[in-house]
């Protein structure tokens, strides 16, 4: 164990605010477990022109260091390069990508400015853990600022096939920067293999027998660390007053109808239109279920300033409207589509109430909702998970009903199968899944990443 842990992520869980997400809790725990450290990132504030420099807050023994963005940085770095170029390309949607040089310049400038701010805090024996696609250039920029200590990087989204990654005009720059880290972590074996293959084919890397990757004068490691959830915490949340009240409110309306639930940020990677079509298709095929099943889709809007997200919103509004118009009756609404967010506790209550969870992204790094759904079930009457084979979670949750989300007929069949599955099979599948959710939980994820980073050899 070395010095302090320094975490850098685009968004941070600000002091005093409730830590809603599992990830926020995991990172705060990682800092606490090390006996303190610094969590550095964007404050979430956008200022017209000037930024104010880093603002520091202490909470217990964690220092939070917050930096603002200017409007131009927010537009170019965040909405532009991160969310109009990197996000679509890494999710295999090159058709939606905008390759704008000015956006890349803003991305590079923010990575440089943030790296320099960070370099002011770090001490020689600290270790630095950088998160996600917003900060791909942070490795190179930290090294350029003179930092020689350990730095690790974890990518929360998929690392695409090398041919797809190479569609980014700046792919060499991005990959070389990733090689400035001592450890690069991915969600699945496929992501890790894609990254390694890219380095060999494009940068002439050598893969050594001990797992080290040699690229020019740098050596690094790349490995798989599948992110998890805190299953005990989710089970507790599902028992909370708020969970019961949410389940009660919904239960009164759906009465004894079977409930199918989906919870996703409103994002084109999540396969929401395909999922609604699959539910509609299931109603086409199974008249006997009319009036007997409801599909609840919770989809809090995100990144609304990006065109592709506005298009998705329209598409979903139309689809839900059409399916409901075709099938709804005086006392039955087949789809309840809610473009808003609910508390973590309320969601856990709704997962528990549901007979099936439907998590069918077209591509997803891991997908925590799949694991949260499993963790919220009870052992004596668990719901069934219908899961996309293209979610990272499918590698671990092999007892889910795995589907190709583009195959509407097969997805419709899987929903039907989930709704009609005998209790014995539901229990068997759930036990298999909860074992994996417990074995590789959020604590396992952060501990295994940090142990590998501690073990990374830093060149003398
Ligand atoms: C990225 C990667 C990877 C959703 N709606 C509400 C709400 N949520 C919570 C869920 C879950 C989280 O947000 C979403 O996580 P996902 O993993 O499903 O997806 P992304 O946001 O795309 O996350 C993904 C993840 O990073 C972690 O590495 O798994 O592949 O894309 O925790 O519960 N939470 C609340 N209200 C909502 O309405 N409170």
């Amino acid at each position: 164990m070395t010095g302090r842990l320094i975490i850098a992520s685009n968004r941070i869980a600000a002091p005093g605010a409730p830590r809603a997400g599992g990830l926020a809790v995991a990172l705060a725990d990682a800092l606490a477990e090390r006996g303190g450290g610094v969590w550095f990132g964007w404050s979430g504030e956008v200022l017209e022109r000037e930024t104010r420099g880093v603002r520091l807050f202490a909470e217990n023994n964690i220092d939070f260091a917050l930096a603002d963005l200017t409007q131009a940085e927010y537009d170019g770095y965040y909405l532009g390069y991160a969310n109009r170029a990197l996000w679509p390309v890494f999710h295999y949607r090159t058709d939606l990508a905008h390759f704008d040089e000015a956006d890349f310049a803003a991305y590079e400038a923010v990575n440089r400015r943030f790296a320099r701010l960070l370099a002011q805090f770090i001490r020689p024996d600290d270790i630095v853990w950088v998160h996600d696609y917003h900060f791909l250039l942070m490795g190179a920029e930290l090294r350029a600022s003179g930092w020689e200590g350990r730095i690790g990087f974890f990518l929360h989204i998929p690392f695409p096939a090398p041919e797809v990654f190479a569609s980014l005009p700046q792919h060499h720059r991005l990959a070389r920067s990733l090689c400035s880290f001592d450890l690069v972590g991915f969600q699945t074996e496929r992501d890790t293999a894609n990254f390694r293959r890219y380095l060999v084919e494009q940068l002439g890397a050598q893969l050594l027998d001990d797992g080290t990757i040699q690229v020019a004068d740098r050596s690094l490691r790349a490995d798989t660390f599948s992110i998890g959830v805190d299953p005990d915490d989710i089970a507790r949340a599902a028992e909370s007053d708020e969970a019961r009240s949410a389940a009660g409110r919904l239960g009164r309306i759906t009465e004894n109808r079977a409930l199918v639930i989906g919870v996703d940020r409103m994002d084109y990677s999540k396969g929401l239109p395909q999922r609604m079509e699959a539910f509609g298709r299931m109603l086409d095929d199974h008249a006997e279920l009319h009036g007997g099943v409801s599909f609840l889709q919770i989809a809090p809007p995100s990144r609304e300033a990006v065109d592709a997200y506005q298009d998705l919103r329209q598409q979903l509004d139309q689809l839900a409207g059409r399916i409901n118009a075709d099938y709804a009756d005086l006392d039955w609404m087949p789809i309840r589509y809610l473009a808003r967010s609910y508390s973590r506790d309320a969601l856990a209550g709704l997962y528990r109430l549901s007979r099936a969870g439907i998590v069918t992204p077209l591509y997803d790094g891991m997908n925590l909702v799949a694991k949260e759904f499993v963790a919220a079930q009870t052992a004596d009457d668990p719901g069934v998970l219908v899961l996309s084979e293209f979610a990272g979670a499918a590698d671990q949750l092999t007892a889910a009903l795995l589907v190709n989300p583009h195959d509407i007929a097969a997805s419709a069949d899987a929903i039907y199968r989930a709704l009609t599955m005998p209790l014995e099979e539901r229990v068997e599948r759930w036990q298999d899944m909860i074992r994996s959710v417990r074995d590789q939980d959020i604590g396992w994820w952060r501990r295994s990443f940090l142990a590998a980073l501690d073990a990374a050899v830093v060149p003398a």
Side-chain angles (χ1 to χ4, degrees):
M1 180 96 84
T2 50
R4 301 171 309 167
L5 172 62
I6 314 290
I7 291 176
S9 57
N10 178 60
R11 293 305 294 271
I12 73 172
R19 302 242 155 80
L23 180 59
V25 174
L27 296 180
D29 283 355
L31 289 161
E33 220 168 67
R34 288 249 164 189
V38 182
W39 193 348
F40 169 70
W42 175 35
S43 61
E45 287 188 50
V46 179
L47 306 183
E48 203 42 54
R49 263 184 217 93
E50 294 286 302
T51 51
R52 287 173 286 187
V54 169
R55 280 170 295 135
L56 290 170
F57 298 87
E59 192 187 73
N60 303 324
N61 50 3
I62 304 174
D63 290 321
F64 290 85
L66 282 66
D68 311 310
L69 293 175
T70 65
Q71 187 66 48
E73 286 176 334
Y74 178 73
D75 292 343
Y77 147 80
Y78 180 76
L79 292 177
Y81 199 71
N83 285 318
R84 282 200 185 90
L86 296 175
W87 178 272
V89 168
F90 281 47
H91 288 88
Y92 290 83
R93 292 300 304 269
T94 46
D95 59 314
L96 294 178
H98 292 253
F99 300 118
D100 185 307
E101 283 175 40
D103 285 350
F104 179 73
Y107 181 84
E108 186 182 26
V110 169
N111 272 255
R112 179 167 304 149
R113 188 165 76 77
F114 275 41
R116 286 180 183 164
L117 290 171
L118 182 54
Q120 294 172 2
F121 302 105
I122 41 188
R123 304 176 196 145
D125 60 345
D126 289 341
I127 66 168
V128 182
W129 187 7
V130 178
H131 288 262
D132 226 1
Y133 64 103
H134 311 92
F135 288 154
L136 296 174
L137 294 177
M138 191 72 106
E141 295 297 342
L142 273 174
R143 296 295 182 211
S145 75
W147 173 253
E148 291 175 350
R150 280 193 185 87
I151 37 177
F153 178 84
F154 185 77
L155 185 67
H156 290 260
I157 64 176
F159 191 87
E163 298 73 15
V164 174
F165 181 62
S167 66
L168 285 158
Q170 304 82 8
H171 63 97
H172 277 150
R173 287 280 302 284
L174 300 170
R176 284 205 191 91
S177 173
L178 285 175
C179 293
S180 308
F181 291 97
D182 301 296
L183 173 67
V184 182
F186 297 98
Q187 299 273 27
T188 66
E189 296 293 348
R190 179 174 44 203
D191 299 324
T192 307
N194 282 341
F195 178 65
R196 288 167 159 263
R197 181 158 75 83
Y198 174 89
L199 294 184
V200 170
E201 292 174 2
Q202 292 270 351
L203 300 184
Q206 280 187 295
L207 307 179
L208 308 185
D209 288 345
D210 68 351
T212 307
I213 306 172
Q214 191 71 42
V215 190
D217 59 345
R218 288 278 321 153
S219 61
L220 68 144
R221 297 185 79 92
D223 227 325
T224 307
F225 304 89
S226 308
I227 197 167
V229 297
D230 180 341
D232 293 337
D233 190 53
I234 293 162
R236 264 195 305 276
E239 306 271 334
S240 66
D241 289 347
E242 217 177 324
R244 287 177 202 278
S245 136
R249 277 173 69 195
L250 184 67
R252 271 198 298 282
I253 295 168
T254 54
E255 294 174 334
N256 4 350
R257 293 186 178 106
L259 188 68
V260 176
I261 192 169
V263 175
D264 310 74
R265 274 188 311 100
M266 198 184 287
D267 191 292
Y268 51 79
S269 66
K270 302 292 182 185
L272 294 167
Q274 290 81 352
R275 186 182 308 175
M276 281 189 188
E277 280 181 23
F279 187 76
R281 174 70 174 264
M282 194 213 53
L283 295 177
D284 292 344
D285 295 347
H286 295 283
E288 74 277 16
L289 288 182
H290 293 186
V293 55
S294 287
F295 171 32
L296 170 66
Q297 176 64 56
I298 294 176
S302 81
R303 304 173 197 167
E304 291 162 275
V306 176
D307 292 351
Y309 290 74
Q310 291 165 11
D311 297 347
L312 174 68
R313 170 74 199 245
Q314 276 188 0
Q315 201 185 352
L316 291 175
D317 290 358
Q318 276 175 10
L319 257 174
R322 179 174 63 69
I323 296 169
N324 278 336
D326 282 350
Y327 286 108
D329 208 337
L330 296 176
D331 56 354
W332 174 54
M333 184 74 96
I335 299 187
R336 309 186 82 79
Y337 153 56
L338 310 177
R340 51 162 291 183
S341 66
Y342 285 85
S343 75
R344 197 173 156 71
D345 286 1
L347 290 181
L350 299 176
Y351 292 144
R352 182 165 286 193
L353 183 68
S354 302
R355 170 53 57 90
I358 171 152
V359 182
T360 48
L362 306 181
Y363 229 92
D364 215 331
M366 179 53 54
N367 196 298
L368 295 179
V369 171
K371 296 184 175 183
E372 290 162 1
F373 176 82
V374 170
Q377 303 306 308
T378 54
D380 56 345
D381 187 20
V384 180
L385 179 65
V386 176
L387 178 62
S388 163
E389 61 185 274
F390 305 121
D395 287 5
Q396 297 167 304
L397 304 179
T398 50
L401 295 181
L402 294 179
V403 294
N404 170 354
H406 301 280
D407 188 339
I408 305 297
S411 302
D413 280 351
I415 300 172
Y416 179 74
R417 217 179 133 197
L419 287 169
T420 52
M421 188 180 285
L423 177 64
E424 198 183 335
E425 184 180 350
R426 281 195 274 135
V427 169
E428 218 168 275
R429 287 177 179 273
W430 178 76
Q431 278 177 337
D432 193 310
M433 293 191 286
I434 193 71
R435 199 174 309 122
S436 142
V437 169
R438 284 193 184 124
D439 282 353
Q440 300 196 327
D441 67 359
I442 189 77
W444 170 87
W445 170 75
R446 69 176 150 77
R447 279 190 298 270
S448 49
F449 184 92
L450 288 173
L453 182 55
D454 278 332
V457 178
V458 178

